Amino acid sequence: MTKERIWLSSPHMGGREQHYINSAFQTNWIAPLGPNVQGFESDLENYLANESHVAALASGTSAIHLALILLGVGRGDEVLCQSLTFSASANPISYLGAQPIFVDSEESSWNISPELLENAIIDRLSQGKKPKAIIAVHLYGMPCDVLALNRISSKYKIPIIEDSAEALGSEYLGMRCGSLGDFSILSFNGNKIITTSGGGALVCRDQEAKKKAVFLATQARDEAPHYQHSQIGYNYRMSNVVAGIGRGQMEVLDDRVEARRRNYEYYKSRLSGLPGISFLDEPKGVKSNRWLTCILLDSYETREKIRLELEAHNIESRPIWKPMHLQPVFQCYPSYVNGVSEDLFNRGLCLPSGSNLTDEDLIITSGLIRKSIIR
Ligand SMILES: *Cc1c(COP(=O)(O)O)cnc(C)c1O
C-alpha cells in the first residue's frame, strides 16, 4: 500500500523557475507585461518555428476564445469541433453565441475523423450554412491527421484552430504541434506537460494577428491619451510573474517529453500482451509527447475494476474524456458520430503519467493493473 498519492499528472518544476520569478520581483514587473512575458513568448516562438507568433495568455481556454473572435465567429455561426476532447475546446464557441457541431474520432489517432469531418461540412453546406472554423485536437499528445485535415480546410476554405493544449513537444512529419493551424493554442495548466500553474498561449501565423490578439487580451484600448474603446475587450494576458515559471519550464521541456515517453514504454512493456488490453501506437511520421499514457480494456467493467483497484491503493487514474456530443450541456447540438469516441470513453483509462513519477510508482501501478487483469 502506497502512502503518498500517485497522481495522474502533477506539476514538475525544473529548478530555474524561481530565478525568473525573482527577477520579476527585483525589477517590480508584477504586471501582465514585462521581460518574462516577452522572454517566454520568444522561447515558444523559437521552439515552435514555422512562422509562429505567440501571445502569452491567462489560459488555453482564453486562447481558443480569441482565436474564434479573430476568425470572425459570432452569434449564430457554426463551428466544427472534435467531440472527444476536454470541454474547454468547445466552451468558447458558446461564449460567442455560436453553435458547436461535433465530429467523432478516427481509430488511428483518436482525434477528429477527416472522413466524418468532410461529411459534416457537406451536410452543413447542403443546409445552407458554412461552418466558420474547425477545432482539431491532439488528444493526450497524439497528433491528429494534420495533412488530411489541411486538405479539407483548403478545399472548403474553413480555417483550423489547432488545439495543442495537450501536445507541446509532439511532432507531425517533423513539424511541431502548436505550429500547424491557422491559429494554434497551448495550455500551461497545472496538469499539462509544462505548467505555469495556470496559463496558455495563442499561436498566430503572422505578427499582425498577434498584435490583434494582444489588443483584445488587454481590454481593447484604442490609441489615445485617455482610456477609449471601440470594441469589447478581455483581460486575458499572462502576468510577468507567471511567465517566469514558463521560462524555467521551457528549459526542461525536452526532458519532460522524454520522461513521459519512457512512462509509456514502461507500461507497454509490462502490460501489452495481457488479454484484452491495448495501447495506441504512433501512426507513421508522428511523435507523441505521451502527455498521458492511455490503455484500452476489453469492456467498461474491466476498465472500472482497474480504476477502482488503483483508487483503493491511492493511485489516480481517469476514464478517457467523455465525448462532447454525450455531455448534458452539449447534447442538444448537431453531431456526426461513428461510435468510436463513445467506445473509447467506455473502455479507456488514463494512467499516472507525470514526468516526476518514480520507478517505484510505475512498478506499483503496472503491478496492480496486471493483477486485476489476470485475476
Ligand atoms: C487543458 C485543455 C484546454 C484548456 O486549457 P486551460 O489552460 O486549462 O484553459 C483546452 N483543450 C484541451 C484539449 C485541454 O486539455
Side-chain angles (χ1 to χ4, degrees), residues 59-61 64 85-86 88-89 137 163 165-166 185 187 189 192 199 321:
S59 65
T61 310
I64 297 174
T85 185
F86 177 47
S89 302
V137 186
D163 182 342
E166 303 177 359
I185 74 100
S187 169
N189 194 15
K192 297 291 165 32
W321 300 121

Side-chain angles (χ1 to χ4, degrees), residues 248-285:
Q249 288 273 278
M250 281 305 284
E251 295 180 6
V252 293
L253 174 57
D254 291 344
D255 297 339
R256 300 299 181 257
V257 174
E258 281 320 301
R260 292 202 186 233
R261 286 176 61 83
R262 273 200 307 275
N263 291 338
Y264 174 84
E265 291 305 329
Y266 179 82
Y267 283 124
K268 194 173 171 193
S269 72
R270 284 297 314 277
L271 301 173
S272 69
L274 292 177
I277 191 168
S278 64
F279 287 79
L280 183 61
D281 289 327
E282 290 166 326
K284 211 162 170 270

Side-chain angles (χ1 to χ4, degrees), residues 276 296-305 343 346-348:
L296 278 185
L297 290 313
D298 57 2
S299 66
Y300 170 82
E301 289 72 26
T302 313
R303 200 282 306 282
E304 275 304 278
K305 185 170 129 192
D343 180 51
N346 283 326
R347 296 192 292 121

Side-chain angles (χ1 to χ4, degrees), residues 40-49 52-55 207 210:
F40 186 36
E41 287 175 345
S42 61
D43 291 346
L44 285 164
E45 285 165 359
N46 293 332
Y47 182 81
L48 294 172
S52 295
H53 301 265
V54 175
Q207 190 59 30
K210 171 179 170 174

Side-chain angles (χ1 to χ4, degrees), residues 28 52 55 63 105 110 114 119-120 131 133 138 171 185 222 229 247 283 303 305 319:
N28 205 32
S52 295
S105 290
W110 297 5
N119 293 348
H138 307 301
E171 293 174 18
I185 74 100
D222 296 340
H229 308 272
R247 297 208 72 184
R303 200 282 306 282
K305 185 170 129 192

Side-chain angles (χ1 to χ4, degrees), residues 55-68 86-92 95 135 161-166 184-190 192 196-203 236 238:
L57 301 174
S59 65
T61 310
S62 56
I64 297 174
H65 192 182
L66 292 184
L68 290 168
F86 177 47
S87 64
S89 302
N91 283 335
Y95 301 168
I135 300 178
I161 298 173
E162 178 198 16
D163 182 342
S164 198
E166 303 177 359
S184 309
I185 74 100
L186 301 170
S187 169
F188 311 109
N189 194 15
K192 297 291 165 32
T196 58
S197 75
L202 179 65
V203 186
Y236 277 173
M238 179 179 278

